[in-house]
Amino acid sequence: MTVDVQTVGDRERGETGDLRVTIRDRDSMEQVRVPIAELGAVFRELLDGAPWSQVSGRYPRAGG
């Protein structure tokens, strides 16, 4: 999980954050941006055995 300037914004530039964090699948290296408010449920789902593709398909890809 990564929290970056995109998450929290940059006050000096007057930018607000999107309140999303980046999570990455170890095997595919695919990264998605997940709202902080949904993070607990997403991790629970993954730890309960849901496939990455099922979970990641609901969120925008990170990094372009």
Side-chain angles (χ1 to χ4, degrees):
M1 179 181 77
T2 302
V3 176
D4 56 19
V5 72
Q6 190 176 351
T7 305
V8 297
D10 185 335
R11 288 185 187 176
E12 291 179 13
R13 294 182 176 186
E15 298 172 353
T16 57
D18 64 4
L19 300 179
R20 292 176 179 259
V21 296
T22 301
I23 61 172
R24 182 184 71 209
D25 177 58
R26 180 199 67 197
D27 296 334
S28 69
M29 300 298 281
E30 179 186 17
Q31 299 180 93
V32 292
R33 300 279 297 167
V34 176
I36 293 170
E38 297 177 29
L39 197 55
V42 166
F43 282 147
R44 228 174 283 112
E45 191 174 355
L46 290 166
L47 290 169
D48 284 344
W52 170 260
S53 59
Q54 175 183 314
V55 176
S56 67
R58 297 193 306 261
Y59 300 100
R61 292 186 72 145

